[in-house]
Amino acid sequence: MPKDTSAWRQGLRSVSVLAIPIILLVAVVWGLFKGVAVYEEMVEGAKEGFGVALRIMPFLVVMFAALTCFRESGALLLLQTAVRPLLDFIGMPVELLPLAIMRPLSGSGSSGILNEIILHPSSTDTLRYTAAILYGSTETTFYVLAVYFGSVSIRRSRHALAAGLCADAVGMGMAVLLGRLMFS
């Protein structure tokens, strides 16, 4: 591996380790600067979050059951085999298909698939980094529509679905492109 690539990766690791603590610190300092009771607001937000969690639980149970059935039935493996030629043509590793399918449906399900890709001994660094980019570049579109829209009784979500799926497609495409450019 060339020396400049190693320096690039070390720089990325350094920035990624510091990113979230810096964002949290800036948010707290900004809130204090604006005169916001930061701790009290955080506690109030946690109370609201708990209520939302209780309202969305039934939606989650149904979604996880459906996802498990799809995967355990072997349908996912059949789909991978069927679309392999298309994925090879567009340059997307077939190993990313389960993540690309699961990501718009479930955050925890796609997190599990990402974990499998990262920990699998035959996964290359390019595949691992591309999977991580894909995970971070897409949203749980159907989850958001089913759970959050459902919990506040929004029934007409057609345009939100189209916009979310378009954004997911762009995110997936860019993840594959950036993974190849940066880590191949």
Side-chain angles (χ1 to χ4, degrees):
M1 178 177 296
K3 188 175 184 179
D4 59 318
T5 305
S6 179
W8 170 253
R9 287 188 181 175
Q10 184 60 37
L12 282 177
R13 284 189 188 108
S14 299
V15 169
S16 67
V17 166
L18 295 174
I20 292 178
I22 288 173
I23 290 170
L24 291 173
L25 181 64
V26 167
V28 170
V29 169
W30 183 260
L32 292 173
F33 176 73
K34 290 292 194 173
V36 174
V38 176
Y39 181 76
E40 289 78 9
E41 290 294 328
M42 287 177 65
V43 169
E44 195 60 36
K47 284 182 193 175
E48 290 176 21
F50 188 73
V52 168
L54 288 176
R55 283 195 311 270
I56 67 174
M57 193 61 63
F59 298 98
L60 289 174
V61 170
V62 170
M63 188 177 298
F64 289 140
L67 293 173
T68 301
C69 289
F70 180 69
R71 187 167 187 185
E72 296 301 319
S73 70
L76 182 60
L77 185 59
L78 289 173
L79 182 63
Q80 270 183 295
T81 305
V83 298
R84 181 181 291 273
L86 174 65
L87 295 179
D88 288 342
F89 179 74
I90 63 173
M92 181 175 172
V94 73
E95 296 87 358
L96 291 180
L97 183 63
L99 180 60
I101 292 171
M102 188 68 69
R103 185 64 180 145
L105 298 172
S106 164
S108 60
S110 59
S111 178
I113 291 173
L114 175 65
N115 191 44
E116 287 176 15
I117 292 171
I118 290 172
L119 296 178
H120 198 277
S122 67
S123 294
T124 64
D125 282 346
T126 302
L127 180 63
R128 289 178 179 123
Y129 287 125
T130 303
I133 296 169
L134 190 147
Y135 182 84
S137 301
T138 54
E139 182 55 72
T140 53
T141 304
F142 288 102
Y143 173 86
V144 168
L145 293 177
V147 175
Y148 295 119
F149 280 30
S151 71
V152 292
S153 300
I154 295 175
R155 299 289 176 233
R156 297 182 184 172
S157 60
R158 183 185 65 192
H159 297 298
L161 176 63
L165 291 177
C166 285
D168 285 337
V170 169
M172 288 176 197
M174 290 305 297
V176 171
L177 179 66
L178 288 174
R180 285 179 168 263
L181 289 175
M182 293 176 67
F183 303 108
S184 287

